[in-house]
Amino acid sequence: MATKILMPALSPTMEEGTLAKWMVKEGDTVASGDIMAEIETDKATMEFEAVDEGVIGKILIEEGTEGVKVNTPIAVLLEEGEDASAAEDAASSAQDDRADEDSGDSEADSSDGDDSAEVSTKPAAQAAGDMPEIPMENIPEGTKFKKQTVREAIRDAMAEEMRRTEEVFLMGEEVGEYQGAYKISQGLLEEFGARRVIDTPITEHGFTGIAVGAAFAGLRPIVEFMTFNFAMQAIDQIINSAAKTLYMSGGQMGAPMVFRGPNGAAARVGAQHSQDYAAWYAQIPGLKVVMPYTAADYKGLMKSAIRDPNPVIFLENEILYGQSFDVPEMDDFTVPIGKAKIAREGDDVTIVSFGIGMKYALEAADALAEEGINAEVLDLRSLRPMDTDAIIKSVKKTNRCVTVEEGFPVASIGNYISSVLMQQAFDYLDAPVINCTGKDVPMPYAANLEKLALITTPEVIEAVKSVTYR
Amino acid sequence: MAAAKKSSKSNVSAEELMSHYREMLMIRRFEEKAGQLYGMGLIGGFCHLYIGQEAVVVGLEYAAKEGDQRVTSYRDHGHMLACGMDPKGVMAELTGREGGYSKGKGGSMHMFSAEKRFYGGHGIVGAQVPIGAGLAFANKYRGTDDVSFAYFGDGAANQGQVYETFNMASLWKLPCIFVIENNQYAMGTSLQRGSSTPELYTRGEAFGIPGEAVDGMDVLAVKEAGERALAHCRAGEGPYILEMKTYRYRGHSMSDPAKYRTREEVQKIKSEKDPIDHVRDLLVTGKHATEDELKAIDKEVKKIVSEAADFATESPEPALDELYTDIYA
């Protein structure tokens, strides 16, 4: 029985990849473990091994093809004794599968029993699709824009600042020779050398403390956490040493540095790797906290964070890393820390969000517009200092507010915004503020439960309808 | 204190001995005064006195040069005085006054001096160790020949981050001297009750860091060990561990009744090993100083400490708007 070989998912958030190179040709016999192809994801080039033995009957996707969706049949494997006609049959059914994909069916085809072993379950967050774009402010007229991924924007920001001053260096796990666990630091080792792009052992507590000491001495470290989940090992150094020293020293010395890395849920990585720390760090005086959404804001805020004389927590998002947005082509594009941005204007309700939450906020606003509800969407971008003036100003116009974030509901960013509005804009509120958050549970692994635990666009729509009494 | 190295005591000048005597006495009298002010309610919170351990910082500071850095735990008054910080500013910080090094906002455990390259004063056990290595990292990054001293106690020597730091300091050959001030008690837990291997100077062996045990009650032995460690670091050979066998006479903090050890034990160390008596003996038996000269030093030190206490009680409390300053640069 001929078996279809499917494009594999090679990372938790991979949606598509490039079939860089075939290592086998039609007619070759392969055994389990043989390398069949090289597949390039947005993070790395990976070797793809055969699982079953057999003969390559037909190659369906030519090498060099970009944007091959996960689970697309890429070749047909024949069992011993089968002839080419079996390959043709399998190939034609593979074409049908691809048509299914194109028709928008995002579920993997598991109806064919023989294929089930090779079907990778799609990550829940993959349904994301393209991220909605939002307008930019304060860009000189005539500025050109280029499409850039969030990943490239962060890298460019770091590289520009490292070119600007020797005092800036990058430190973390796999930032150098590996080119970054999420490929954020790609190319930096080659340009700046091992003195300034420093691979550390897997010891967050220790290397964070070393970076804090270097910052006390006046250097400008950028500490990459492979994810912010691991920063909990180092949180004493971040809070007790980095955030408090300026105060405790009466202004004599502090920690001018950036702590950065992916934060929040990725996809199907379970409870210990899926947590949003926005509210945790936003609570600490002495820290600045930013959590951008667009690539332009990632770039501009990263440059501001590196120049800031205070410790800055820079919360990134793995799902956004591969998303493209317009980024202005300017010599020195920065975005000020502490300034929110109106991502979409409206009169009926204010939706306040930040980071990946903006995706749900903007999708909800689109859907609501079709029903005649014009939502104003505010992208906070910075959580400390928080631009509460911008929130209040918008709510004075709309009289209603819904907050959207991925983090846990208790003592959330939304809770704080609600209290600010209650104290400073009470007379302007026509409805209670609703906080849309992640559910009050550790992140489950099962795809359906994970989907349930995360904030969704329909929940935001529901909340808006509730505060607008629709 | 069996394995600890003794000093060779050769070629030590009268000036040097006098300097050690004066510096150690300054710390002792300062700490006695701090204890007194604590009893009067003028110093609050936690207050950890350095009495008994004076030879450690005085010997190492004598070996250090301008540009070297130091960072330590909450038992930090001695380190600040030994690196040349003004006793008035230190005492006024203890009393929480405007004239303190941190304008009264840090307190006994959290004091700093950018000018004297003293990087605190840390209240979290062990946290200063990677920070000390980070200072050394900056020295290496900038290509200077400065060395950082990271002081910590026998209790902190069991902290995980200490070993993460040993690994990276050795891997990257950071010019850092890890000074373990083994005063025998981690608060109330004796070394034997808290450490699987009591020879703390060997704790770097797994990381290829040389270490030696030093008689931390002998300022000359401390200074000589410091010189060896500094030479090692300045030669680019990476970090070095000095385990200073020392003893604290007072409780862990002012509120510690120290029931975990006998009066006899403390008395025996005081009468047989006191670091200040030791130098005084050397000065007198070597005929380097007369009793009158030593009394003059005693008097001068007492005066400085007394002025520091006056300053610390007269300096006003910080202005109320200081509450909201120095949070962001």
Side-chain angles (χ1 to χ4, degrees), chain A residues 267 421 458:
Chain A
L421 288 173

Side-chain angles (χ1 to χ4, degrees), chain B residues 4 8 16 51 58 76-77 107 111 114 121 136 170 175 190 201 208 253 266 273 276 284-285 292 317:
Chain B
S8 56
E16 182 185 331
I51 296 173
V58 169
D76 56 356
H77 311 161
M111 254 184 275
S170 182
S190 69
Y201 67 94
S253 69
V266 181
K273 295 286 298 177
I276 299 175
V284 173
T285 56
D292 282 351
E317 290 188 306

